[in-house]
Each structure stands twice: as C-alpha cells, then as structure tokens.
Amino acid sequence: VEEVQPLLVDLLDPEPGQRLLDVGCGEGGVLRLVAERGADVVGLDGAERLAAKSGRAFVALLPDLDPVADESFDGAYMVLVLEHLDDAARAFAEIHRVVRGGGHFVLIVNHPIFTAPDATPITDPTDGETFYRPGRYFSGGYTDYVVGDQTVRFHHRTVSSLLNTGADQGWVLERMEERGVGPGQIERDPTLASQEHIPRLLAIRWSRT
C-alpha cells in the first residue's frame, strides 16, 4: 500500500470535479484516497461483498463494464487487478469505451519481470548477494498461488504485450514508471535490501484521443 498509493496519485493526478472510475475497487481503500483529492470517484468490482464495503461501487463481472455508459468518465484506473483477469484486451477496450475523449487511464500491475512463470530471487548463501532468475518471461501463461483455502491466479504479460494491447485498443502512452522494493519495506525486513534492484511494480498512464 505504501508504495502503490503514492505511485497512483502521482500518475493519476486527480483534481476536484473530475469523475473517475476505479476498476476492481475491492473494499475501496484506493477509491477513498483518490476521493480525498476532490475527485468524484465511482468503483466497480466483481465481488458484491467487496463492492458493498467500498460504499460507492457497482457490481460488474470484470473485464466487462456493462453498468457503465459510454464516455461517462473523465478517467479511470486499475490497481493490481489486470493480472487476475483472463482477457486484458477486453479490459482495455471496455475502459476505453467508458472514458471520454481527452481522458486518461492509469494502470498499476505487478511488474512482468516479477510475474513470469518460474521467476524468483536467488540469494547466494556465501555472500548474501541476490540475483534474479527471470523464468519464462516470453512464454506468457500464468501462475496459481494458494492463499488460505483459495487459489489466486496471476496472468503473466510482458511489458511489450501490455503496451501493444493498450495501443491496439486506442490508448496513447503518456508515461511509464517502474519501481522496486520501497524503503519502508526494507526497513521492516532488511533482507529485502539485496532485492532493491529487482522491479516490483509497473505503472502506465495512457490518454484517450
């Protein structure tokens, strides 16, 4: 949270009076942060329970945004959601449909170098230096992780795939940011200091012509 939220606010640059859509809002933590900047924010989430907790969200089976009218928002954002969706192109197309001309879309995902199948940090036990095994970066695919009694799927898409898919759906790149482990994380877990050179987050801002 401490790394993602400032990154989103930086790229999104919300302004009072803007009407923004939070795609995959969950319980609404990021939604409320953006609303505090004066924007009029509405959320969408596939889980009715989470949408209800957010206080300002509709239920939609993502990536479809059926409850949303065409060109009804000044901008949209999606934070750590796309990697859980099977159809990235559909998500880009639907968000393009609901954002007005001149509007923008900010996407934050786990960095593709980090989500590649079989990718992992490897620490040399002799000197503590950490290297990174990129795994099958160009293979696409996904990895399933067991979380409690559920399985969470992370789809892997290369940086070029994300940029090209956005372009194919009419989005124009404005800015891209890459971030590694933040200082707060390292302070809590000093062993992560050896991984600060490994990308963890990718953030992209597009505009709609």
Side-chain angles (χ1 to χ4, degrees):
V1 174
E2 67 191 53
E3 307 299 332
V4 172
Q5 291 186 350
L7 181 58
L8 173 68
V9 171
D10 181 31
L11 267 71
L12 187 64
D13 192 22
E15 298 178 357
Q18 281 184 323
R19 182 169 167 79
L20 301 176
L21 179 66
D22 185 328
V23 183
C25 64
E27 296 182 355
V30 175
L31 185 155
R32 288 185 286 274
L33 172 73
V34 175
E36 288 173 0
R37 269 65 181 176
D40 177 17
V41 191
V42 175
L44 274 172
D45 199 88
E48 184 174 356
R49 176 181 60 84
L50 296 179
K53 283 188 175 183
S54 75
R56 297 194 63 186
F58 298 100
V59 178
L61 187 59
L62 303 179
D64 293 320
L65 305 182
D66 293 337
V68 186
D70 294 358
E71 299 189 29
S72 55
F73 284 88
D74 299 311
Y77 59 92
M78 180 184 283
V79 178
L80 302 180
V81 173
L82 187 70
E83 49 267 66
H84 303 301
L85 301 181
D86 294 337
D87 193 341
R90 178 67 175 169
F92 284 121
E94 277 286 86
I95 295 170
H96 189 273
R97 176 181 66 80
V98 304
V99 172
R100 300 185 182 100
H104 54 275
F105 168 41
V106 173
L107 173 72
I108 297 180
V109 295
N110 288 285
H111 199 288
I113 197 69
F114 206 72
T115 62
D118 299 325
T120 185
I122 299 175
T123 301
D124 187 334
T126 61
D127 59 10
E129 184 176 3
T130 299
F131 303 91
Y132 198 73
R133 183 176 70 193
R136 294 178 282 120
Y137 181 80
F138 294 109
S139 69
Y142 57 81
T143 302
D144 289 333
Y145 293 95
V146 176
V147 180
D149 59 353
Q150 297 183 337
T151 299
V152 179
R153 176 162 293 180
F154 285 81
H155 289 274
H156 170 64
R157 301 173 177 105
T158 63
V159 174
S160 60
S161 173
L162 291 170
L163 295 179
N164 290 333
T165 302
D168 290 344
Q169 302 304 325
W171 291 105
V172 177
L173 177 66
E174 288 189 354
R175 184 178 167 194
M176 187 176 79
E177 294 282 346
E178 298 171 284
R179 300 288 171 85
V181 178
Q185 293 173 287
I186 294 174
E187 183 177 352
R188 288 191 299 275
D189 183 358
T191 63
L192 291 175
S194 63
Q195 299 183 30
E196 60 182 349
H197 59 288
I198 301 171
R200 290 294 186 100
L201 293 173
L202 174 67
I204 307 168
R205 176 180 167 116
W206 285 282
S207 62
R208 186 190 191 281
T209 56

